[in-house]
Amino acid sequence: MKNLLSNFNKAFENKIRLGIMSILVVNDRYDFNSFKEILGVTDGNLASHLKYLENKMYITYEKTFESRKPKTTYSATQEGKIAFKKHLKAIEELLK
C-alpha cells in the first residue's frame, strides 16, 4: 500500500488544483474568468492556486488584450501533464 501512495502528487490533492489540471489536460488553453466560473471560486483563491501550479512548472500563462480588456490564458506544460497523469494512475491503482 505504501508504494501506491508514494505516487500521489501533493500538488493535485487540493480540489481546485485538481479541477484546474483536469480542465487543462483536455483543453489546450483556458482563461482565468472561465476557470472562475466553472470552479466557482473567487479571484484571489483561483489566483493563488494558479500561482502554486505555475511555481511547480505544471502550467504556463499568457497575457493578451481583447477589445482593450486584459485576458490571461493558461495551459498545462508537458511536465504538468505527465505529473497529473501519473497522479491519476496512482488513484486508479489504489481503487483496484
Side-chain angles (χ1 to χ4, degrees):
M1 185 63 70
K2 185 178 178 186
N3 283 343
L4 288 176
L5 298 179
S6 67
N7 289 325
F8 278 66
N9 189 324
K10 284 189 133 329
F12 309 125
E13 287 180 0
N14 178 279
K15 68 180 181 178
I16 296 169
R17 291 193 296 266
L18 183 69
I20 291 168
M21 288 305 294
S22 296
I23 292 166
L24 290 179
V25 165
V26 297
N27 295 283
D28 289 335
R29 307 185 84 60
Y30 217 74
D31 69 272
F32 186 89
N33 288 327
S34 296
F35 272 130
K36 205 171 78 165
E37 184 179 321
I38 199 166
L39 297 173
V41 294
T42 63
D43 286 6
N45 196 357
L46 178 58
S48 68
H49 289 292
L50 289 167
K51 187 66 174 172
Y52 179 91
L53 292 170
E54 182 190 338
N55 288 340
K56 290 284 195 182
M57 300 173 129
Y58 290 159
I59 65 170
T60 60
Y61 70 92
E62 181 180 359
K63 291 188 179 269
T64 58
F65 286 89
E66 278 187 11
S67 302
R68 296 185 180 200
K69 292 182 181 178
K71 183 175 184 177
T72 305
T73 55
Y74 297 86
S75 56
T77 63
Q78 191 62 30
E79 180 183 346
K81 289 177 184 178
I82 291 168
F84 187 68
K85 288 176 182 176
K86 186 176 178 182
H87 180 75
L88 292 180
K89 182 86 170 153
I91 293 171
E92 289 173 357
E93 290 298 317
L94 182 64
L95 295 174
K96 284 185 180 180

